[in-house]
Amino acid sequence: MTARSVALETIRAVSDSDAYANLLLPRAIARAGLSAADAALATELTYGTLRRQGTYDAIIALAADRPVGEIDPPILDVLRLGVHQLLATRIASHAAVNESVALARTLGGRASSGFVNAVLRRVSRDTPGEWLERVEHTARSDDERLSLSSAHPVWVIRAFRRALAAEGRADELDDLLRADNAAPRVAMAALPGLAGIPDARVHTTYSPIGFFPGGGDPEPVVRESGGRLRVQDEGSQLAALALTRAAPVRPGERWLDLCAGPGGKTAVLAAEALAGGAILEANEPVPARAGLVRQALAGVPAEIPVSEEDGRVRASAAGGTYDRILVDAPCTGLGALRRRPEARWRKHPADVPELTELQRGLVTAAVGALRPGGLLAYVTCSPHLAETAAVLAEVRRDAGDELEELDARAVLQSFALAPLDLPVPVDGSGRAQLWPHRHNTDAMFISLLRRR
């Protein structure tokens, strides 16, 4: 298989089966035996095409003179891949067109290949700037125009704007959208007390356990370390450490990671628990993800049980049991669009109410599972205010005097390697919000609560 066919196979799986490119692509590259150069090309073609899908669809509709909904889905994916090569890479136009035509021929025969040839030759005649100007003229509002230019759905743009405005930083929206469209640098974590940061590696900016692996595939580094060095966004590292370092660990403490899959934060908690003499338990209701949690814990020399229950049921049955609980709640994932670019087109505003109801249920149940004085970290990989400030406000209102909110920003600053730009929200909450454009991390939300 070629780099283009691997990219198309992955894009097709995302379109057809709601697959996750970040999970599927590495396996496809390995199966195809691509060279390092071809693997890099397949990665760029896959993520670039998925990231700017909305913009490319608008261009294809103009060039084909028909709505994209009328184009056979496999051929539409070929066109998206071809348009990306023509407008966003240095690949020669004739190569981009000819290879796309060949892919279309294998999927749909002569008629499909002729259609792809005509559309892509039409696209190739104008510059990226000219096409962008053309599609922006079709916009019905300023937000729709920004959606087309930034390749973000309108509802996501509006959610981001409101979240930034809640910090008095609405003027950072353009910076955030640009950062979302830039491929993130791979970060890794050295599990505290079990592994040190390798020599000659560059420390991440803020996390005391984070480093950048340099070029190449980081998987050999993970394997050679027995899982004690692992790929993990710096924001996720900070979120886990916020719970473990908010207060000194007392030997014998009991901890629970309530929504543990896929296990990256669980591994950090496990290492911190081992170092402090605490006991960690984990829970993940989805069996496949629970398996990933067990794999993530393989590098920690401790027996850590992983249950597979609904987190609300699991926590409700453990009243007053735990000293620290992490609720890394299921969410829209809008904070990780750099690494999961397809999520911006997969999620919809209608998803938010169901998720926030689940989040409230999980946090409320977790509060009841805390011992008096126990700490809870409520974390989402989303800056959407409904999944962050609103859930936090409702939980605190329902709990009354039972809950005290800590200053999560001060906790993060207490162990970060460099000062974090974390403005106080306009509502005065103690919550912390990380951002891709400001911190070069996923947009991780972190709130710390103590049961009185």
Side-chain angles (χ1 to χ4, degrees), residues 7-19:
L8 181 61
E9 176 187 279
T10 306
I11 292 166
R12 290 295 307 128
V14 170
S15 299
D16 268 0
S17 310
D18 279 347

Side-chain angles (χ1 to χ4, degrees), residues 142-443:
D142 288 343
D143 280 352
E144 193 169 307
R145 189 173 301 108
L146 184 57
S147 171
L148 289 166
S149 64
S150 69
H152 285 73
V154 168
W155 78 275
V156 173
I157 288 173
R158 290 172 177 167
F160 284 171
R161 182 186 290 119
R162 287 192 291 269
L164 288 167
E167 296 182 334
R169 299 285 188 89
D171 59 342
E172 294 180 2
L173 178 62
D174 287 341
D175 292 338
L176 170 58
L177 297 176
R178 278 193 296 271
D180 250 359
N181 285 333
R185 189 176 181 182
V186 174
M188 298 187 72
L191 294 184
L194 299 175
I197 293 175
D199 293 340
R201 302 299 191 203
V202 177
H203 237 302
T204 53
T205 306
Y206 306 108
S207 172
I209 64 171
F211 65 98
F212 296 113
D217 184 1
E219 276 308 304
V221 177
V222 176
R223 286 195 301 270
E224 291 168 12
S225 73
R228 298 182 180 191
L229 302 176
R230 52 188 308 105
V231 175
Q232 187 174 43
D233 180 76
E234 189 176 11
S236 293
Q237 298 174 36
L238 294 172
L241 294 175
L243 177 62
T244 64
R245 303 193 178 184
V249 179
R250 301 183 308 275
E253 283 188 3
R254 291 186 65 183
W255 298 359
L256 174 64
D257 188 351
L258 190 60
C259 313
K265 297 182 188 71
T266 320
V268 175
L269 294 182
E272 291 273 277
L274 185 64
I279 301 164
L280 174 67
E281 300 167 27
N283 179 74
E284 169 52 50
V286 181
R289 287 170 62 86
L292 295 176
V293 175
R294 295 184 182 99
Q295 292 177 26
L297 292 169
V300 182
E303 195 68 33
I304 300 164
V306 181
S307 56
E308 299 180 12
E309 301 179 49
D310 183 311
R312 293 162 293 189
V313 175
R314 175 73 166 77
S316 296
T321 299
Y322 295 101
D323 297 282
R324 303 187 198 220
I325 299 177
L326 173 63
V327 181
D328 183 14
C331 66
T332 56
L334 298 183
L337 298 185
R338 302 179 306 160
R339 292 185 294 108
R340 301 191 190 104
E342 71 274 16
R344 70 188 72 188
W345 313 115
R346 178 176 287 168
K347 297 296 184 180
H348 303 282
D351 298 327
V352 176
E354 182 178 353
L355 286 166
T356 55
E357 182 180 355
L358 173 60
Q359 291 156 8
R360 283 194 300 272
L362 287 165
V363 177
T364 299
V367 169
L370 285 174
R371 288 175 176 166
L375 293 171
L376 183 148
Y378 169 45
V379 173
T380 65
C381 190
S382 171
H384 197 302
L385 290 178
E387 300 186 278
T388 57
V391 170
L392 177 61
E394 290 189 31
V395 169
R396 292 194 64 198
R397 181 198 63 207
D398 293 344
D401 293 338
E402 184 181 10
L403 278 183
E404 170 192 7
E405 184 183 17
L406 304 187
D407 187 342
R409 299 181 303 276
V411 170
L412 290 169
Q413 301 283 15
S414 71
F415 63 81
L417 299 178
L420 285 151
D421 182 5
L422 295 170
V424 178
V426 294
D427 65 2
S429 164
R431 67 183 187 271
Q433 179 67 62
L434 302 174
W435 293 101
H437 67 290
R438 206 184 296 162
H439 308 108
N440 196 28
T441 68
D442 289 347

Side-chain angles (χ1 to χ4, degrees), residues 14-260:
V14 170
S15 299
D16 268 0
S17 310
D18 279 347
Y20 289 94
N22 65 316
L23 299 179
L24 191 61
L25 182 60
R27 295 198 294 267
I29 288 172
R31 189 170 61 249
L34 297 184
S35 67
D38 280 346
L41 176 59
T43 301
E44 157 55 25
L45 294 180
T46 301
Y47 284 108
T49 302
L50 292 172
R51 186 175 291 119
R52 302 199 68 86
Q53 177 180 307
T55 304
Y56 293 157
D57 281 1
I59 292 170
I60 290 166
L62 290 177
D65 195 26
R66 70 179 69 172
V68 293
E70 296 180 4
I71 300 173
D72 189 38
I75 300 306
L76 177 58
D77 282 333
V78 172
L79 286 170
R80 290 164 172 164
L81 183 60
V83 170
H84 178 66
Q85 292 172 73
L86 289 171
L87 300 184
T89 75
R90 296 181 180 180
I91 293 171
S93 294
H94 67 87
V97 174
N98 292 342
E99 294 293 338
S100 298
V101 168
L103 290 171
R105 187 177 296 116
T106 64
L107 290 173
R110 184 180 297 274
S112 294
S113 64
F115 174 66
V116 167
N117 182 61
V119 173
L120 292 184
R121 289 193 182 281
R122 174 70 188 89
V123 173
S124 70
R125 287 200 291 268
D126 295 317
T127 67
E130 289 168 335
W131 276 112
L132 187 57
E133 183 178 356
R134 196 169 295 150
V135 298
E136 285 181 348
H137 280 312
T138 69
R140 295 162 296 182
S141 67
D142 288 343
D143 280 352
E144 193 169 307
R145 189 173 301 108
L146 184 57
S147 171
L148 289 166
S149 64
S150 69
H152 285 73
V154 168
W155 78 275
V156 173
I157 288 173
R158 290 172 177 167
F160 284 171
R161 182 186 290 119
R162 287 192 291 269
L164 288 167
E167 296 182 334
R169 299 285 188 89
D171 59 342
E172 294 180 2
L173 178 62
D174 287 341
D175 292 338
L176 170 58
L177 297 176
R178 278 193 296 271
D180 250 359
N181 285 333
R185 189 176 181 182
V186 174
M188 298 187 72
L191 294 184
L194 299 175
I197 293 175
D199 293 340
R201 302 299 191 203
V202 177
H203 237 302
T204 53
T205 306
Y206 306 108
S207 172
I209 64 171
F211 65 98
F212 296 113
D217 184 1
E219 276 308 304
V221 177
V222 176
R223 286 195 301 270
E224 291 168 12
S225 73
R228 298 182 180 191
L229 302 176
R230 52 188 308 105
V231 175
Q232 187 174 43
D233 180 76
E234 189 176 11
S236 293
Q237 298 174 36
L238 294 172
L241 294 175
L243 177 62
T244 64
R245 303 193 178 184
V249 179
R250 301 183 308 275
E253 283 188 3
R254 291 186 65 183
W255 298 359
L256 174 64
D257 188 351
L258 190 60
C259 313

